[in-house]
Amino acid sequence: MNTIKKDGRKNYVCTIDVETACGLEPIYDKQGNFLGNKSKGFAEPLIYDLGFAISDKKGNIVYEKSFLIKEIFLNQEIMSTAYYVSKVPMYWIQLHNGEHELVSWNEAVDCLAQALDYFDVSTIMAYNLSFDKRAMNCSNSFINGEELNFDEYKQVCIWSLACETIFSQKSFPKIAVAQGWYSEKGNLKTNAEICYRYITGDYGFIEDHTGLSDVRIEVKIMAHCYRQRKAVKSGILGSPWRIPNTVHKDYTSRAIPKHQAYVKEMKRIYDLQNAKMPVVEDLGYQWGTLNLNK
């Protein structure tokens, strides 16, 4: 790391992304005999994939790492609870190709700490930082019996930042509705994948959901947020998705029901023709010709 050139004039930030499995809780019968383990769910997530990048706020990455955590990744019982357990064979291939390093949790944390110190990092970020912090704390408690201390760093949730800036732009709800980026309850989606699609215009983009790959797109999102030069509150905001849904409520309350009816009618037409309907995103160009003011 000491061979990496750093610019002392810049305020570097660290962006983190993790992929997790569930913690396990032992089960015993009344006689104290061990019966097995049950999942604690994602309330106590354990990290098997930790990616981080050091960059400036313009998105220029100067240092990055991708770690697979031995204590979790090599534990088959824990890994069986991972949401993306189907990716395990891919990880082994990527590990063989040198795309990740298989290390202990303490080695990964030590490397992160050294990077934070070397680049004089003042701010830690993640897309939904609350979850990533919880996962870091749960993983350290699982392995070392205590939580980590983030108090010396400013903490910024990129999701919160995006909801206050990017997702609050006037053009976002129009594109989001046309592309079907809303939930069954009629709320606009605000995850990192949707954000990256919107700012790049690559509406078919699919997030890898691996640590370092996701970090790289989150760094780009972060830089895009700061380019807006808009005053923000974040920090870490509670339920930041509510911000754009409130800002755009007048439009979405009219547009989403019409779009749902449009998709339903298109499905009926394709069914009558015994044809496969395109995905909702591919219908967007036709939807764009409709007049929502009627």
Side-chain angles (χ1 to χ4, degrees), residues 28-45:
Y28 301 93
D29 62 18
K30 293 180 179 180
Q31 288 73 42
N33 300 310
F34 176 67
L35 301 177
N37 292 311
K38 69 175 182 178
S39 171
K40 291 184 178 180
F42 287 97
E44 296 188 23

Side-chain angles (χ1 to χ4, degrees), residues 140-201:
N140 203 68
S141 293
F142 175 73
I143 293 166
N144 294 319
E146 60 182 6
E147 294 187 350
L148 295 169
N149 185 358
F150 297 94
D151 291 345
E152 65 181 287
Y153 303 100
K154 180 180 179 181
Q155 298 168 32
V156 175
C157 174
I158 301 173
W159 183 27
S160 300
L161 199 59
C163 285
E164 290 186 282
T165 57
I166 295 170
F167 290 128
S168 292
Q169 295 173 352
K170 290 182 179 179
S171 59
F172 174 67
K174 297 177 182 179
I175 293 173
V177 173
Q179 298 298 317
W181 300 341
Y182 55 83
S183 69
E184 291 182 3
K185 293 183 178 180
N187 292 315
L188 296 171
K189 294 181 178 179
T190 58
N191 56 44
E193 181 175 276
I194 295 298
C195 193
Y196 191 77
R197 287 180 182 182
Y198 174 63
I199 65 175
T200 62

Side-chain angles (χ1 to χ4, degrees), residues 102-293:
L102 182 63
V103 300
S104 70
W105 170 253
N106 287 335
E107 287 174 315
V109 171
D110 285 346
C111 179
L112 174 59
Q114 289 175 32
L116 295 175
D117 181 62
Y118 180 73
F119 290 99
D120 297 317
V121 169
S122 59
T123 305
I124 292 179
M125 299 183 168
Y127 207 96
N128 192 2
L129 181 57
S130 293
F131 176 81
D132 291 75
K133 280 180 59 182
R134 184 166 75 250
M136 294 282 286
N137 282 329
C138 288
S139 299
N140 203 68
S141 293
F142 175 73
I143 293 166
N144 294 319
E146 60 182 6
E147 294 187 350
L148 295 169
N149 185 358
F150 297 94
D151 291 345
E152 65 181 287
Y153 303 100
K154 180 180 179 181
Q155 298 168 32
V156 175
C157 174
I158 301 173
W159 183 27
S160 300
L161 199 59
C163 285
E164 290 186 282
T165 57
I166 295 170
F167 290 128
S168 292
Q169 295 173 352
K170 290 182 179 179
S171 59
F172 174 67
K174 297 177 182 179
I175 293 173
V177 173
Q179 298 298 317
W181 300 341
Y182 55 83
S183 69
E184 291 182 3
K185 293 183 178 180
N187 292 315
L188 296 171
K189 294 181 178 179
T190 58
N191 56 44
E193 181 175 276
I194 295 298
C195 193
Y196 191 77
R197 287 180 182 182
Y198 174 63
I199 65 175
T200 62
D202 181 3
Y203 297 159
F205 172 76
I206 302 296
E207 195 173 9
D208 285 341
H209 293 293
T210 58
L212 183 56
S213 176
D214 291 356
V215 161
R216 289 168 178 163
I217 73 166
E218 290 165 17
V219 168
K220 292 179 180 179
I221 292 170
M222 173 269 295
H224 197 91
C225 289
Y226 283 122
R227 283 200 295 272
Q228 309 310 304
R229 298 188 179 278
K230 180 179 178 181
V232 296
K233 295 180 181 178
S234 51
I236 304 175
L237 304 179
S239 303
W241 59 271
R242 295 182 185 275
I243 297 171
N245 278 284
T246 299
V247 169
H248 304 306
K249 186 176 181 179
D250 181 62
Y251 177 83
T252 57
S253 63
R254 292 178 291 113
I256 289 177
K258 289 188 176 184
H259 187 261
Q260 291 172 326
Y262 159 73
V263 173
K264 183 178 180 180
E265 176 62 13
M266 293 298 292
K267 184 177 186 304
R268 185 187 70 81
I269 292 172
Y270 277 92
D271 285 346
L272 287 174
Q273 298 172 348
N274 291 318
K276 183 179 180 181
M277 190 177 100
V279 294
V280 172
E281 289 90 338
D282 293 336
L283 295 172
Y285 74 97
Q286 298 178 39
W287 166 255
T289 66
L290 300 182
N291 186 355
L292 292 180
N293 294 319

Side-chain angles (χ1 to χ4, degrees), residues 7-14 54-60 119-123 125 222 226:
D7 188 338
R9 298 167 299 177
K10 291 186 176 181
N11 292 320
Y12 290 106
V13 301
C14 178
I54 308 296
S55 72
D56 59 24
K57 289 185 178 180
K58 293 182 178 180
N60 300 304
F119 290 99
D120 297 317
V121 169
S122 59
T123 305
M125 299 183 168
M222 173 269 295
Y226 283 122

